[in-house]
Amino acid sequence: ETGVTQTPRHLVMGMTNKKSLKCEQHLGHNAMYWYKQSAKKPLELMFVYNFKEQTENNSVPSRFSPECPNSSHLFLHLHTLQPEDSALYLCASSFRDIRTYGYTFGSGTRLTVV
Amino acid sequence: QKEVEQNSGPLSVPEGAIASLNCTYSDRGSQSFFWYRQYSGKSPELIMFIYSNGDKEDGRFTAQLNKASQYVSLLIRDSQPSDSATYLCAAAIQGAQKLVFGQGTRLTINP
């Protein structure tokens, strides 16, 4: 375990479903991130939260809705997704100053949209 | 121009040899650099970081940074089949609360 826990590990959902991904960190970090990684593509930054305030939304479609109730928890609410949204969704956390320690990633949620 | 660039590979190296992975960056404000290893289907794990010019060694891994030339490299000595993975280079850019990643280099160590 890295100290960043993501649930569920695998998720299959229909295009009309609503589901949520959860991320929890036990490292005392202040910032949390959502990334998308599609097959054979680079990491795509989706959202950045600092002290539970959203500081970056990387032009993500509104069918992805993040929520950060506190510095330890991050959610990604999903609704009316498309098959091309199938990917590995990674949560990461860091201290506010990322220069020294970088990110710690969770183990990811493998999402399949059918 | 991409901010962090890597050769996507695949890079094939025989077992026991030295694997050399390279990364260039465009923003001179980049202050520290990270190497992550990602096995297929798994999440990235941090293996090295460097912020000073020169070499930094940790076991079989050596990270090298040359700020004048704006490149970072990772050397893996005595390569093992278990080193086969995708290696991601990332930069922490001044004023940005995020790491900027390269596209990753897929490394295969052949027994």
Side-chain angles (χ1 to χ4, degrees):
Chain A
E1 284 294 334
T2 65
V4 180
T5 303
Q6 284 188 248
T7 54
R9 296 291 296 271
H10 301 274
L11 178 62
V12 179
M13 59 185 289
M15 290 189 283
T16 58
N17 290 160
K18 288 185 180 182
K19 296 286 184 183
S20 296
L21 309 184
K22 179 183 176 182
C23 177
E24 183 174 0
Q25 60 94 2
H26 304 279
L27 301 170
H29 288 165
N30 315 115
M32 298 187 79
Y33 311 79
W34 280 117
Y35 278 84
K36 175 185 178 183
Q37 190 175 40
S38 303
K40 302 190 187 299
K41 288 188 177 180
L43 286 169
E44 297 176 50
L45 178 63
M46 301 175 73
F47 302 102
V48 180
Y49 279 83
N50 255 307
F51 292 98
K52 78 177 184 178
E53 299 298 322
Q54 188 182 111
T55 55
E56 186 157 343
N57 175 339
N58 207 19
S59 302
V60 180
S62 59
R63 58 185 183 270
F64 295 91
S65 175
E67 179 189 1
C68 189
N70 53 60
S71 295
S72 299
H73 294 86
L74 184 64
F75 297 89
L76 189 62
H77 304 300
L78 315 171
H79 62 97
T80 58
L81 295 190
Q82 305 298 310
E84 60 265 28
D85 296 322
S86 298
L88 180 66
Y89 287 84
L90 291 163
C91 173
S93 68
S94 74
F95 291 111
R96 192 172 188 276
D97 183 356
I98 60 173
R99 292 172 297 176
T100 304
Y101 299 104
Y103 292 165
T104 301
F105 283 94
S107 51
T109 295
R110 172 69 62 186
L111 173 67
T112 304
V113 181
V114 296
Chain B
Q1 182 185 3
K2 291 183 182 177
E3 294 183 359
V4 177
E5 292 207 50
Q6 297 179 254
N7 186 325
S8 59
L11 175 65
S12 186
V13 172
E15 184 176 357
I18 296 176
S20 177
L21 303 159
N22 300 312
C23 170
T24 59
Y25 60 96
S26 59
D27 189 337
R28 287 193 175 274
S30 300
Q31 298 183 304
S32 55
F33 303 87
F34 301 83
W35 284 100
Y36 285 84
R37 177 176 62 199
Q38 186 175 24
Y39 292 115
S40 181
K42 303 295 185 182
S43 64
E45 57 177 324
L46 180 66
I47 52 173
M48 292 282 291
F49 76 92
I50 186 167
Y51 55 85
S52 298
N53 269 330
D55 295 0
K56 179 182 179 182
E57 188 174 318
D58 184 2
R60 296 188 296 112
F61 298 95
T62 299
Q64 299 175 319
L65 174 59
N66 183 324
K67 290 188 177 181
S69 302
Q70 294 179 245
Y71 83 78
V72 193
S73 61
L74 179 70
L75 303 179
I76 307 175
R77 290 184 299 281
D78 188 24
S79 297
Q80 305 295 312
S82 59
D83 295 325
S84 298
T86 295
Y87 289 80
L88 301 168
C89 172
I93 296 176
Q94 189 173 18
Q97 179 63 54
K98 62 183 177 183
L99 295 181
V100 179
F101 285 87
Q103 65 269 46
T105 297
R106 186 156 59 91
L107 173 67
T108 300
I109 307 300
N110 299 310

